[in-house]
Amino acid sequence: MKWKKYTVETTTAAEDFMSSMLMDLGIEGIEIEDNVPLTKEDQADMFIDFLPELPPDDGTSHVSFYIEDDGSDQTEILKKVKVGLERLRDMVDVGTGVITSSETEDLDWINNWKKYFTSFTIEDILIKPTWEELKEEDKDKFLIEIDPGISFGTGKHETTQLCIRQLLKYVRGRNPKVLDVGCGSGILSIVALKLGARAVVGTDLDADCMYSTRENMEVNHLDPSLGNFYVGNLIDDTDLQKKVGTEEFEIVVANILAPVIIAMAPVIPERLKSGGYFITSGIIDFKEQEVKEAIEASGLKVVEVNHQGEWVNITAQKP
């Protein structure tokens, strides 16, 4: 399928107005490119270690939209866009308003990424996307099926694999209750349950993750009563901390990023039973020592450090 991409040269002040105008015209798939620096609040919400280096913000912006190139005349819709632009000039500086066009093929934002997620194994676990047929030779394997949807977590990333390997080690044969912080698609919660955890509790900042996790539990034929999932930030949300519970868990697993783990470390011991384990990853290698120190400062004892590529797992135990 071919699509026409139209890009409007405009200003950052006009971005929201222009997006609204395009949506009012029935145009979806709007893309905004600018050099506006992220605020500290945005950076905190994104939980990323490395911010993109942008050129200086000069107030310009490029708002793009896509229309299916099915051979029909697109003159009328472009005329409406230009009329809308001129009307916006009465309210905001829209800049030059110059529209350029280009072509792109097979623009499928929802499904294109799926071709990069195929079945793979971690030790004796086969992780398979829901849309892929199970091969005959794999029918006797320990199977986890995942559809990440719009949530994070296929299991292929090194940090997730590091956590799964630790769950294999600390869940099997122990029947623990597990807290999954930053549950995403629910993959670690599901792995824990299928390995023998008696129950899981998951938290995430994104409400969509609750939906993804519930769907993936159903796909894996897991009793929904085995999991409770909450939206919120465990670091400073006291109501969430109460819902999750005190000294409830034999295992807390968190596949997030180093700054979040460091901020979260003080509240983890209170979640763990004596002798319980904190399994974490998402730690880039040069942050290893900083995270280790934060975990130890919280009163936990580091018992394992594992590496995969440039990523690190730290597993600690509550005395």
Side-chain angles (χ1 to χ4, degrees):
M1 184 183 296
K2 290 185 177 180
W3 297 74
K4 279 278 192 182
K5 177 182 180 180
Y6 295 97
T7 301
V8 184
E9 186 178 290
T10 184
T11 68
T12 53
E15 287 173 348
D16 290 342
F17 293 97
M18 196 165 299
S19 297
S20 178
M21 180 267 290
L22 292 170
M23 286 189 285
D24 286 345
L25 293 175
I27 295 172
E28 298 180 355
I30 298 165
E31 185 178 272
I32 296 175
E33 297 174 89
D34 60 34
N35 296 323
V36 177
L38 294 172
T39 65
K40 288 183 179 179
E41 290 78 13
D42 290 335
Q43 293 174 30
D45 286 343
M46 291 173 74
F47 292 151
I48 57 177
D49 276 333
F50 305 104
L51 294 175
E53 291 197 14
L54 299 173
D57 176 26
D58 59 1
T60 62
S61 173
H62 292 85
V63 177
S64 300
F65 59 95
Y66 297 83
I67 300 176
E68 184 180 345
D69 189 3
D70 57 2
S72 61
D73 186 5
Q74 297 178 353
T75 304
E76 191 60 34
I77 187 66
L78 288 174
K79 188 184 295 183
K80 290 179 180 178
V81 171
K82 290 175 182 176
V83 169
L85 274 170
E86 293 309 310
R87 287 177 177 166
L88 288 179
R89 288 188 190 277
D90 296 333
M91 296 183 285
V92 66
D93 176 12
V94 300
T96 67
V98 171
I99 302 175
T100 56
S101 66
S102 59
E103 281 191 356
T104 185
E105 299 250 359
D106 191 25
L107 191 64
D108 187 344
W109 300 277
I110 302 299
N111 294 308
N112 264 1
W113 65 274
K114 288 184 177 180
K115 61 189 175 188
Y116 302 108
F117 178 26
T118 56
S119 295
F120 66 101
T121 57
I122 301 176
E123 298 191 20
D124 64 340
I125 297 177
L126 172 68
I127 296 178
K128 182 186 79 65
T130 54
W131 56 86
E132 189 177 284
E133 287 292 324
L134 182 64
K135 296 175 184 175
E136 190 64 35
E137 62 266 29
D138 291 332
K139 288 190 174 177
D140 60 345
K141 290 186 178 175
F142 190 99
L143 177 65
I144 305 285
E145 292 192 278
I146 290 291
D147 183 349
I150 59 174
S151 302
F152 174 81
T154 65
K156 273 204 164 179
H157 196 275
E158 291 95 332
T159 61
T160 315
Q161 293 186 30
L162 283 162
C163 287
I164 289 173
R165 287 191 174 92
Q166 294 305 95
L167 289 174
L168 277 162
K169 186 180 297 185
Y170 291 101
V171 171
R172 272 183 170 156
R174 302 190 187 201
N175 194 35
K177 186 175 182 181
V178 177
L179 172 61
D180 181 3
V181 184
C183 59
S185 65
I187 185 167
L188 295 179
S189 292
I190 289 163
V191 168
L193 287 170
K194 296 201 80 169
L195 287 173
R198 69 180 183 275
V200 295
V201 174
T203 70
D204 204 287
L205 297 175
D206 187 348
D208 289 325
C209 293
M210 307 298 105
Y211 177 76
S212 295
T213 297
R214 286 292 183 195
E215 280 212 324
N216 284 319
M217 282 187 67
E218 184 177 342
V219 165
N220 285 277
H221 312 293
L222 291 167
D223 184 341
S225 68
L226 295 176
N228 289 309
F229 302 94
Y230 305 107
V231 178
N233 189 339
L234 194 66
I235 295 170
D236 55 12
D237 187 335
T238 54
D239 287 338
L240 179 61
Q241 291 169 7
K242 288 175 185 175
K243 286 179 186 175
V244 165
T246 301
E247 295 188 345
E248 284 275 332
F249 303 94
E250 285 84 6
I251 293 174
V252 175
V253 61
N255 181 29
I256 314 181
L257 282 173
V260 189
I261 296 166
I262 291 167
M264 184 193 302
V267 305
I268 296 301
E270 196 174 354
R271 316 275 79 79
L272 284 167
K273 291 183 176 182
S274 179
Y277 293 93
F278 181 33
I279 297 169
T280 188
S281 190
I283 307 160
I284 195 74
D285 50 16
F286 60 80
K287 293 280 186 113
E288 176 183 331
Q289 188 58 34
E290 191 178 348
V291 175
K292 187 178 176 183
E293 289 172 0
I295 290 173
E296 289 175 334
S298 75
L300 302 180
K301 179 183 178 183
V302 173
V303 294
E304 274 192 71
V305 177
N306 299 290
H307 298 82
Q308 187 171 338
E310 60 188 352
W311 298 97
V312 183
N313 149 252
I314 296 175
T315 299
Q317 187 174 27
K318 181 176 178 178

